Amino acid sequence: MKFGPGSAANRIALLGWLIYAAATLLLGIAVYFATHAAFSRQIDERIEQATSALLIEYHDDGVGGVQSALDQQGRNRPIGLGTALFDARGARIAGNLAIPLTEPGWRNIVFHDPGEGREQARAQVTVLPGNYRLVVAADLESLETIDHTILAMFGVTVVVLLLLGLAGALLLARYLHRRLAGIEATSSAIVRGDFTRRAGIGTAGDEFDRVALSLNTMLDRIAGLIANLRQVTAGLAHDLRTPLSHLRNHLERMRGGQGQAATGASIDEAVAQADNVLALFDAILRISEVEEGSLRRAFSAVDLSTLVSELGDTLVLLAEDERHFLHVAVGDGIRVQGDRELIAQALTNLVENALRHTPEGSVIGLQVRCDEGGALVTVSDNGPGIPEADHERAQQRFVRLESARSAPGHGLGLSMVRAIAQAHGATFSLGDAGPGLRAEIRFPKRIIA
């Protein structure tokens, strides 16, 4: 995976850092102006309090009282809170603030500090009766000092935070790159044909782990499909080879001209072999059609109880012909959503499979009932059964276990049953009947009509 300017991990980390930097700057600016405003309000409040005290002096003793109060402040001390009183002619008659006559209201003024020269101050100018003007002002040097201190601290803090944010962004980019690199490496290996490669899954259970898990699940599914395709291809080739070889032999004999009667028999055998091949293709196409799922659109309510009962009447006769015993047990009023013909085919396959792979005199059970898990159809026998390790493999296409190789068939019966069950949203499983084999199709409650 590229770890350069074109890297999505870098872009995500850079975007995060830019957002972090913008947020830090905005926060710093907000803190600066909020602090400046708070200190400015404090200065204004001090000026207002001093002005109010002098106005009380004016109301008690007139202009003389104000002059007396201002004279007590001293004339030459450094100004923290300066005052001045002007008469109607604009002449300063009291106070320690050496400034010209100023317009009424709040003003920012410049005054002369005996120790530091020209300074700025915040002033409130109040007009007294007789056109006297009272000025109370506060030096803004302390506020400027606080502003400079905040700006200095803010500058240093911003630089440190931005450096920390940059370090975090680099770590984030490296982390994203590392996690995505594992998924990319797995995908690349799959592209090269290595279907055994899987993405690493961490223990955090985060989004990357879930993506890796989904990817691995998809790869497992693809590997299963490929294995199934190979198995189907090999099985199809194997099962076609025998009937096609027989068909070729019959055709060779026919070409040899061994008499009209013999030729007729060979033609009949050739037709039978051709029908066998066609039946095999029909079975494969039928399974594909069922697995495709398009048949679900025609599903309707199926009276499973009636279907099994009617099917049992027919299969009992077939079992008798095969010298077996078939017992049918049917629960009342069990209905499911599905295709009546497909369900009948699945049950017929299971019963015929039991007849084919159990010795004469075996007892076969066909049962349908309803329990807490839904509707359950069971076909069981007391024959030799199938080892548990082969239960899953026996449901694959063209798989014929060693015990069944001498019996006719192509190994498609159980795979057809499983396809039909899955098309109905049901589950198909094989189990031990103790002794014998038990095949179950369970229709969940949600599809019970």
Side-chain angles (χ1 to χ4, degrees):
M1 176 175 286
K2 296 180 179 179
F3 192 51
S7 168
N10 285 355
R11 290 198 298 270
I12 293 173
L14 178 60
L15 178 61
W17 181 77
L18 290 176
I19 294 174
Y20 169 79
T24 301
L25 290 174
L26 290 176
L27 178 62
I29 292 172
V31 169
Y32 169 77
F33 281 105
T35 305
H36 179 85
F39 280 104
S40 295
R41 281 196 301 272
Q42 288 183 4
I43 292 174
D44 290 350
E45 288 173 359
R46 286 178 57 201
I47 294 174
E48 288 176 341
Q49 290 173 0
T51 301
S52 297
L54 292 173
L55 289 177
I56 292 174
E57 294 290 339
Y58 175 80
H59 286 300
D60 292 341
D61 301 319
V63 173
V66 175
Q67 287 180 298
S68 176
L70 297 183
D71 289 340
Q72 293 179 4
Q73 295 180 350
R75 295 179 179 278
N76 298 318
R77 68 179 183 178
I79 297 177
L81 197 61
T83 56
L85 180 63
F86 295 88
D87 62 12
R89 295 172 300 175
R92 184 165 63 89
I93 58 177
N96 59 356
L97 196 58
I99 58 172
L101 182 62
T102 306
E103 294 297 320
W106 287 99
R107 293 284 184 272
N108 288 331
I109 63 174
V110 177
F111 69 97
H112 178 75
D113 188 326
E116 302 180 4
R118 290 170 58 85
E119 294 287 344
Q120 286 195 343
R122 176 74 167 165
Q124 184 181 27
V125 182
T126 305
V127 179
L128 301 178
N131 206 20
Y132 288 93
R133 295 188 182 185
L134 174 62
V135 179
V136 178
D139 192 350
L140 293 180
E141 182 180 4
S142 59
L143 180 61
E144 293 173 352
T145 302
I146 293 173
D147 287 345
H148 291 159
T149 302
I150 292 176
L151 286 175
M153 293 177 59
F154 174 66
V156 173
T157 303
V158 166
V159 171
V160 173
L161 292 177
L162 291 181
L163 290 176
L164 290 176
L166 181 60
L170 292 175
L171 291 176
L172 175 61
R174 186 171 295 279
Y175 172 77
L176 294 174
H177 171 265
R178 181 173 60 82
R179 297 301 302 270
L180 293 174
I183 298 176
E184 184 193 34
T186 302
S187 302
S188 300
I190 296 299
V191 171
R192 292 192 301 270
D194 182 9
F195 288 94
T196 61
R197 186 74 172 269
R198 294 294 182 270
I201 301 176
T203 58
D206 55 17
E207 290 81 356
F208 292 104
D209 291 336
R210 291 196 292 274
V211 170
L213 179 61
S214 299
L215 177 62
N216 290 346
T217 303
M218 180 183 68
L219 294 176
D220 291 340
R221 175 61 175 164
I222 292 174
L225 292 175
I226 292 175
N228 185 57
L229 178 62
R230 290 173 178 167
Q231 182 259 331
V232 168
T233 304
L236 183 62
H238 178 272
D239 279 48
L240 283 178
R241 180 179 178 81
T242 300
L244 288 177
S245 297
H246 290 170
L247 179 60
R248 184 181 184 283
N249 293 336
H250 291 310
L251 293 176
E252 286 287 346
R253 286 197 294 272
M254 292 168 60
R255 187 171 59 181
Q258 299 174 354
Q260 185 173 1
T263 301
S266 295
I267 291 175
D268 292 340
E269 291 184 16
V271 171
Q273 294 296 334
D275 289 342
N276 189 21
V277 173
L278 292 175
L280 176 60
F281 278 109
D282 287 343
I284 295 172
L285 293 175
R286 185 62 169 166
I287 292 175
S288 299
E289 186 181 22
V290 172
E291 289 180 338
E292 183 183 358
S294 60
L295 298 175
R296 295 175 185 169
R297 292 191 290 269
F299 280 5
S300 60
V302 177
D303 189 333
L304 196 58
S305 299
T306 301
L307 172 61
V308 174
S309 180
E310 294 176 355
L311 200 60
D313 293 341
T314 303
L315 294 175
V316 164
L317 300 177
L318 179 62
E320 290 177 355
D321 293 341
E322 299 289 337
R323 294 182 177 84
H324 286 68
F325 300 97
L326 177 63
H327 297 296
V328 182
V330 180
D332 295 330
I334 302 175
R335 297 166 63 86
V336 298
Q337 284 290 331
D339 185 293
R340 192 177 192 280
E341 180 183 352
L342 288 178
I343 297 174
Q345 182 177 356
L347 300 182
T348 301
N349 280 7
L350 292 176
V351 173
E352 289 181 345
N353 200 58
L355 293 173
R356 188 178 300 121
H357 299 293
T358 56
E360 293 183 1
S362 297
V363 178
I364 300 171
L366 173 59
Q367 181 188 50
V368 58
R369 61 186 175 87
C370 197
D371 58 19
E372 294 181 353
L376 179 64
V377 181
T378 305
V379 176
S380 60
D381 62 65
N382 59 351
I386 297 176
E388 184 177 355
D390 292 330
H391 285 176
E392 178 62 27
R393 197 166 69 90
Q395 301 175 42
Q396 298 176 0
R397 298 180 193 180
F398 298 107
V399 170
R400 303 184 67 191
L401 304 179
E402 285 298 324
S403 57
R405 290 199 176 277
S406 59
H410 300 291
L412 294 174
L414 293 182
S415 60
M416 171 63 85
V417 175
R418 183 166 71 171
I420 292 174
Q422 291 175 346
H424 285 77
T427 58
F428 173 62
S429 62
L430 298 178
D432 187 3
L437 181 67
R438 184 180 66 254
E440 292 183 347
I441 300 177
R442 177 174 288 280
F443 296 88
K445 282 186 174 181
R446 57 184 171 80
I447 65 170
I448 294 180

